[in-house]
């Protein structure tokens, strides 16, 4: 009971030191509670795509649990490191190691439980706003009432209770085994750190760089390795994490070890103080540097993914409905019906599109082995359709005319992970991929994947005889298209599989009611009309973006908190050093400049590694979702994510400088 009272007094005395930890935990637990409450919310069960959305949230919840274990483990370790001298005082008082360990482990447990209960309370308070935001995004009109999820409370208490108890026993065991002499001495002197062979560090750094860039390559160019996208999504992050860890423990320590020996740099301005401090901090904290670098990558990637989903949602109408109305005509009867329908509203029709293209099979997709159905379009028709588009889309559709034996990959927007081989065959004709362009020709995703070939090669393909196995394969793939199957029965050459794509734009883009009604009343022709577009069918993208943004918030709070904690431990250790400098006549301006410089270096290192990897992750997102960007190194969502993160990160930097200066006074 006495130890419990002492723990409570210690918490009250050190509440300022625990402030950042409590804030971070409280906010993260509130988000965790809200995520868990989604699965048990009766108000959300009627929402479109609820099961898929709930499964995605479940995956995010699992990621958060893994992350919280690491965060709590590192955070409690920082507090123990910060107060090691206090352990020594208790030892001088004759208190057993076991009781000291219980005292401090108990203190950490109480702080954790306080954060847990306050976090759940905040989660309950904000839950209605959270559900309201989800309902609004999903375009649901249902009334929203306040609810408390008992299942979410129990689950959150159970998960965090286990994590906190694990942390309690881990810290207790570690403190019991700590040498009494080390407790009395407190933190190690920075001069005690002697890094072993620099050759070893250099080799570790080389290996780390190789692994890091291998991760980048897998993430962006998985198609060239004939790797399925889902494997790349798993392998690339693992390689990047390992690479960052080895680079931080290898090159990073080697660079600063060499800088501190370089006299011209060492004795310039405040470097003698700031570089020495940061060099020893890097040696001790290279694990923290790699961890925070990974967290920054996660934050930028999550934020970029969220903004990308929002961009996809906004552009959905333009990508899925490039024309007011369109259809695929299998015979002259279909063409005549569409023509008569347009004449019914002739004054409203602004422009028409008519192109012939062929359907075929090719073992052309590197990420999906085997034969896949494709559309083959000739270059002259592609250019003719391009001229009807807006200037912005024309710019994105710009391609070089393919030569004989070359083909431009025509890719459907949002086609996750489907990439073309560099070399492939259509029937017995060999082709080499010459670039890629997003499909702005067809309205139907089923016609979206294909190739643009030269007019000469197109005519050659038309004359090719159809193999029997190809006819069988197409019969299976196109089994729901009765009109196309009839043509397959009598098809002899590839030309027999030509179909006609018909489309038109009206003066008022979505006013196609007359045309649509005529087609429905006078024939059996499937068509796509802009009047049928409904954003409600695409709200899942916005929901994914919403969850991604919350994940990014968790990562950014934790990144700043971990760096802040670790840096403040250094401030306690450096207090004596700065006190000696003041006694020998060093001014406050010198101290302030030194602190700002070493803090900037400490925060900048993980920032550079994290942002660099985040840019690569942004390129991977751009490729996976087949997004267009006019920027050479990344896409706008990624750059916005980096800008937002930089502003918040700079705020942590300013707080760390102020707290450090206050600590060393």
């Amino acid at each position: 009971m006495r130890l419990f009272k002492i723990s409570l007094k210690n918490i009250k005395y050190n509440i300022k030191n625990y402030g950042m930890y409590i804030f971070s935990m409280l906010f993260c637990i509130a988000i965790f509670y809200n995520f868990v409450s989604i699965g048990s919310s009766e108000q959300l069960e009627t929402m479109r795509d609820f099961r898929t959305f709930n499964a995605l949230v479940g995956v995010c919840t699992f990621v958060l649990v893994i992350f919280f274990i690491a965060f709590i483990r590192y955070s409690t370790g920082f507090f123990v490191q910060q107060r090691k001298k206090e352990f020594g005082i208790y030892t001088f008082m004759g208190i057993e190691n076991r009781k000291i360990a219980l005292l401090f482990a108990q203190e950490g447990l109480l702080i954790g439980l306080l954060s847990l209960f306050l976090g759940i309370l905040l989660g309950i308070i904000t839950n209605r706003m959270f559900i309201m935001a989800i309902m609004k995004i999903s375009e649901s009109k249902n009334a929203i009432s306040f609810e408390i999820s008992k299942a979410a409370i129990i689950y959150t208490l159970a998960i965090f209770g286990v994590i906190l108890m694990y942390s309690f026993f881990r810290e207790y065991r570690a403190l019991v085994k700590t040498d009494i002499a080390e407790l009395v001495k407190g933190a190690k002197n920075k001069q005690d750190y002697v890094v072993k062979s620099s050759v070893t560090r250099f080799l570790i750094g080389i290996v780390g760089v190789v692994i890091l860039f291998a991760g980048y390559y897998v993430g962006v160019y998985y198609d060239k390795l004939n790797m399925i996208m889902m494997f790349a999504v798993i392998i690339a992050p693992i390689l990047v994490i390992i690479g960052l860890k080895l680079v931080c423990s290898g090159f990073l320590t080697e660079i600063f070890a060499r800088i501190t020996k370089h006299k011209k740099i060492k004795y310039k301005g405040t470097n003698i103080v700031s570089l020495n401090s940061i060099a020893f901090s890097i040696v001790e904290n290279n694990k923290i540097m790699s961890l925070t670098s990974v967290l920054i990558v996660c934050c930028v990637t999550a934020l970029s993914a969220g903004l990308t989903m929002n961009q996809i949602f906004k552009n959905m109408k333009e990508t899925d409905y490039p024309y007011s109305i369109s259809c695929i005509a299998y015979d002259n009867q279909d063409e005549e019906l569409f023509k008569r329908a347009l004449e019914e509203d002739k004054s409203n029709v602004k422009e028409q599109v008519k192109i012939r293209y062929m359907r075929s099979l090719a073992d052309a997709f590197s990420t999906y082995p085997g034969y896949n159905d494709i559309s083959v379009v000739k270059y002259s028709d592609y250019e003719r359709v391009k001229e009807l588009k807006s200037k912005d889309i024309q710019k994105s559709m710009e391609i070089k005319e393919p030569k004989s034996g070359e083909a431009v990959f025509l890719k459907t927007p949002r086609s996750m992970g489907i990439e073309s081989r560099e070399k492939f065959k259509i029937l017995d004709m060999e082709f080499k991929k010459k670039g890629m362009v997003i499909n702005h020709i067809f309205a139907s995703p089923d016609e979206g994947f294909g190739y643009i070939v030269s007019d000469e090669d197109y005519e050659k393909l038309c004359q090719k005889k159809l193999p029997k196995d190809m006819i069988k394969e197409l019969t299976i793939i196109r089994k729901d298209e009765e009109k196309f199957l009839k043509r397959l029965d009598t098809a002899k050459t590839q030309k027999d599989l030509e179909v006609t794509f018909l489309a038109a734009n009206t003066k008022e883009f979505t006013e196609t009611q007359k045309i649509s009604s005529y087609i429905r009343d006078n024939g059996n022709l499937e068509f796509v009309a802009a009047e049928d577009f409904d954003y409600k069918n695409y709200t899942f993208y916005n929901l994914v973006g919403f969850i991604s943004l919350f994940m990014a918030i968790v990562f950014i709070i934790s990144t700043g908190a971990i760096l802040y904690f670790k840096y403040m431990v250094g401030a306690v250790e450096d207090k004596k050093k700065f006190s000696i400098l003041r006694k020998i006549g060093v001014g406050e301006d010198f101290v302030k400049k030194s602190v700002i410089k070493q803090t900037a270096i400490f925060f900048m290192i993980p920032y550079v590694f994290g942002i660099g990897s985040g840019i690569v992750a942004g390129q991977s997102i751009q490729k996976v979702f087949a997004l267009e960007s006019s920027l050479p190194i990344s896409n706008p969502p990624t750059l916005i994510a980096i800008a937002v993160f930089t502003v918040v990160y700079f705020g942590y930097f300013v707080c760390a400088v102020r707290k450090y200066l206050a600590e060393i006074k």
Side-chain angles (χ1 to χ4, degrees), residues 508-619:
E508 292 297 329
F509 192 75
T510 57
E511 289 186 6
T512 57
Q513 290 83 355
K514 284 186 179 180
I515 302 171
S516 302
S517 298
Y518 186 89
I519 294 173
R520 290 191 188 99
D521 295 340
N522 294 277
N524 182 26
L525 179 63
E526 293 184 7
F527 62 91
V528 176
E531 66 181 276
D532 298 326
F533 177 79
D534 188 355
Y535 274 114
K536 289 182 181 179
N537 297 327
Y538 302 94
T539 54
F540 181 73
Y541 289 94
N542 252 358
L543 290 171
V544 173
F546 179 75
I547 294 299
S548 298
L549 292 178
F550 271 91
M551 293 290 288
I553 291 171
V554 171
F555 288 132
I556 198 170
I557 288 175
S558 306
T559 301
I562 288 175
L563 275 178
Y564 181 87
F565 293 149
K566 194 61 182 176
Y567 196 60
M568 286 305 105
V569 171
V572 174
E573 297 173 0
D574 287 343
K575 189 172 184 178
K576 185 182 289 186
K577 177 187 71 178
F578 282 104
S579 177
I580 294 170
L581 288 174
R582 289 189 180 97
K583 288 178 181 179
I584 62 175
V586 173
E588 286 300 320
D589 286 344
F590 182 91
V591 171
K592 189 175 181 179
K593 286 180 181 178
S594 176
V595 169
I596 291 173
K597 185 179 287 186
Q598 71 183 49
T599 309
I601 295 172
F602 191 84
F603 274 71
M604 185 57 70
I605 291 168
Y607 176 83
V608 170
F609 285 132
I611 295 300
S613 301
I615 290 173
V616 175
Q619 289 181 318

Side-chain angles (χ1 to χ4, degrees), residues 146-427:
F146 178 77
E147 64 179 6
I148 297 176
S149 173
K150 293 181 181 179
I153 292 174
I154 294 170
Y155 191 80
T156 306
L157 284 171
I159 292 294
F160 280 92
V162 171
I163 294 173
L164 290 172
M165 288 306 297
Y166 161 76
S167 178
F168 169 78
F169 286 114
R170 179 179 170 275
E171 290 304 319
Y172 175 77
R173 186 179 178 186
L175 290 170
V176 166
K177 291 184 176 181
T178 303
D179 185 25
I180 295 178
E182 185 184 341
L183 293 176
V184 176
K185 186 178 180 182
K188 293 181 181 179
N189 293 323
K190 290 179 177 178
Q191 289 80 4
D192 292 342
Y193 287 103
V194 178
V195 185
K196 295 180 181 179
S197 172
S198 61
V199 175
T200 303
R201 292 202 310 273
F202 184 77
L203 291 175
I204 289 173
I206 290 289
V207 173
V209 169
V210 171
I211 294 174
L212 182 61
F213 278 90
Y216 292 164
Y217 191 87
V218 169
V220 179
Y221 300 109
Y222 57 87
D223 54 311
K224 292 185 178 180
L225 299 171
N226 293 332
M227 184 181 293
I228 296 174
M229 183 202 68
M230 293 307 298
F231 288 160
V233 168
I234 297 170
I235 294 170
I238 292 173
L239 291 175
V240 169
I241 291 170
I242 295 172
L244 285 173
K245 188 177 188 316
L246 294 179
V247 168
C248 288
S249 61
F251 273 146
L252 208 55
T253 52
E254 178 66 16
I255 288 169
F256 278 94
R258 288 176 182 260
I259 287 175
T260 53
K261 293 177 183 178
H262 199 286
K263 292 183 179 180
K264 287 185 178 180
I265 298 175
K266 184 175 182 179
Y267 295 109
K268 184 178 180 180
T270 61
N271 287 353
I272 191 170
V273 176
S274 55
L275 282 182
N276 272 315
S277 293
I278 204 68
F280 287 114
S281 294
I282 294 299
V283 173
E284 181 185 1
N285 301 320
N286 59 73
K287 289 183 179 179
I288 299 300
M289 291 294 169
S290 59
L291 173 65
T292 49
S293 297
V294 170
L295 287 175
I296 291 172
V297 178
C298 293
C299 176
V300 172
T301 304
L303 193 54
S304 177
L307 294 172
T308 298
M309 291 297 133
N310 184 254
Q311 182 188 31
I312 289 173
F313 180 76
K314 288 180 178 178
N315 297 336
M316 200 68 69
K317 189 172 184 178
E318 184 181 281
T319 55
D320 283 23
Y321 292 81
Y323 308 98
S324 296
I325 190 165
S326 62
C327 71
I328 298 169
Y330 295 95
D331 51 37
N332 292 332
Q333 188 178 349
D334 288 342
E335 289 188 41
E336 284 298 319
L337 176 60
F338 190 78
K339 184 179 178 180
R340 292 197 305 271
L342 295 182
E343 288 175 353
E344 284 292 310
D345 198 12
K346 191 175 182 180
S347 61
N348 190 31
V349 176
K350 186 171 65 173
E351 54 200 13
Q352 297 182 44
V353 174
K354 178 180 178 180
I355 62 169
R356 295 279 287 173
Y357 70 97
M358 68 178 74
R359 289 175 171 176
S360 189
L361 287 179
D363 184 13
F365 299 154
S366 58
T367 46
Y368 286 86
Y371 284 94
N372 296 274
D373 58 321
I374 59 168
S375 303
V376 183
V377 181
K378 57 183 173 183
Y379 177 74
S380 59
D381 282 341
Y382 177 81
E383 286 295 304
R384 189 159 50 82
V385 174
K386 188 183 76 173
E387 294 303 316
L388 300 175
K389 302 290 183 178
S390 65
K391 289 184 178 179
D392 289 339
I393 294 180
Q394 280 186 26
K395 190 176 180 181
S396 65
M397 291 177 69
E398 197 69 43
I399 62 170
K400 290 183 179 180
E401 182 176 358
K403 298 176 183 177
S404 180
E406 294 179 346
V408 178
F409 182 40
L410 191 63
K411 189 174 182 181
T412 300
R414 308 190 309 280
S415 52
M416 296 182 63
I418 299 178
E419 302 294 340
S420 172
R421 296 183 189 277
E422 294 299 316
K423 292 181 180 181
F424 57 93
K425 285 184 178 182
I426 301 177
L427 296 178

Side-chain angles (χ1 to χ4, degrees), residues 358 378 429 453-464 495 498:
M358 68 178 74
K378 57 183 173 183
M429 285 184 64
V453 300
S454 67
D455 290 20
E456 180 186 350
D457 283 345
Y458 186 90
E459 295 303 324
K460 287 181 181 178
L461 280 171
C462 284
Q463 306 306 316
K464 296 290 182 181
K495 189 171 180 62
E498 266 194 323

Side-chain angles (χ1 to χ4, degrees), residues 83 93 203 294 452 492 517 565 629:
R83 297 172 63 188
M93 293 170 62
L203 291 175
V294 170
I452 304 161
K492 302 295 182 183
S517 298
F565 293 149
S629 176

